[in-house]
Amino acid sequence: MKVMSRKALIVIDMINPYDHKDAEQLLPSAERAVPVITRMLEAARRSGTHVIYVNDNFGDWRSHHGEIVDAAMAGVRPDLVEPLRPDDDSLFVVKARHSIFYETPLPYLLHQLGVDHLVLTGQVTEQCILYSALDAHIRHMDLTIARDGVAHIYADLADAALRMTERNMGARVSAAEEIAL
């Protein structure tokens, strides 16, 4: 059995039907991020790093992770969802708002797993990634963000968000290939 690290790879909102109002603006960046996140998932699974998906429930309060995956696969871009599908060992937390922490059981789960370092991937950089990074920072967690493993709607805001996480939150922002999982 693999020894689990105190690090967790967090995949934010990538199980997505891409049928929302900003989807067309998000898709080019998501298309670039999916192969990067796929490689990171493979590396995390090989090394025994925890993999946790934290995903929007899209307002369907009766949904669970299987239904969210099914809805995304039936959506506009299943080709962006398929390579990122959770495996049987992945953990899945449903969220309703931007931060992965807001009103979710994630803090308890991380405590139970002994995780103190998050590696953030996913979408949207200038929203969910930024707010999640801030919430991780105020919880005194080490934080790494894969610059090429996050997708944005607005490039200028995403660049500013990543700079803020580095400068104001002490996050390490680097290329995915430089992140040890």
Side-chain angles (χ1 to χ4, degrees):
M1 183 155 127
K2 294 179 186 175
V3 174
M4 300 305 265
S5 74
R6 295 181 54 86
K7 190 180 289 186
L9 176 64
I10 309 293
V11 181
I12 303 171
D13 289 338
M14 292 304 294
I15 308 303
N16 194 305
Y18 295 101
D19 61 359
H20 48 85
K21 68 178 180 136
D22 296 325
E24 286 302 315
Q25 291 170 276
L26 175 60
L27 282 169
S29 183
E31 289 167 348
R32 289 187 296 274
V34 165
V36 173
I37 299 169
T38 301
R39 288 190 300 274
M40 293 180 77
L41 283 166
E42 291 166 356
R45 289 173 176 144
R46 273 193 315 272
S47 71
T49 299
H50 296 287
V51 173
I52 305 171
Y53 291 77
V54 184
N55 216 89
D56 198 319
N57 70 356
F58 306 106
D60 185 357
W61 293 103
R62 290 183 301 267
S63 65
H64 58 75
H65 80 278
E67 290 171 334
I68 293 169
V69 172
D70 290 346
M73 289 300 296
V76 177
R77 294 295 303 270
D79 61 305
L80 296 179
V81 178
E82 178 62 38
L84 304 177
R85 285 178 79 126
D87 67 7
D88 291 339
D89 294 325
S90 299
L91 302 170
F92 201 101
V93 173
V94 177
K95 70 180 183 69
R97 300 293 295 177
H98 298 83
S99 173
I100 60 177
F101 291 97
Y102 182 73
E103 299 292 326
T104 75
L106 185 65
Y108 183 80
L109 174 61
L110 296 173
H111 174 75
Q112 289 296 306
L113 298 173
V115 170
D116 60 4
H117 186 155
L118 302 182
V119 178
L120 300 183
T121 66
Q123 57 195 20
V124 168
T125 308
E126 64 272 28
Q127 295 172 20
C128 300
I129 302 296
L130 175 62
Y131 305 151
S132 298
L134 176 59
D135 279 354
H137 172 70
I138 64 173
R139 287 169 174 80
H140 304 286
M141 302 197 80
D142 290 330
L143 185 62
T144 302
I145 301 172
R147 176 183 294 111
D148 49 347
V150 291
H152 61 267
I153 297 170
Y154 301 103
D156 60 330
L157 296 178
D159 290 343
L162 291 176
R163 281 194 318 274
M164 287 172 49
T165 64
E166 281 182 305
R167 179 169 292 155
N168 300 342
M169 299 168 216
R172 177 175 173 235
V173 178
S174 61
E177 67 186 19
E178 298 171 4
I179 299 170
L181 291 171

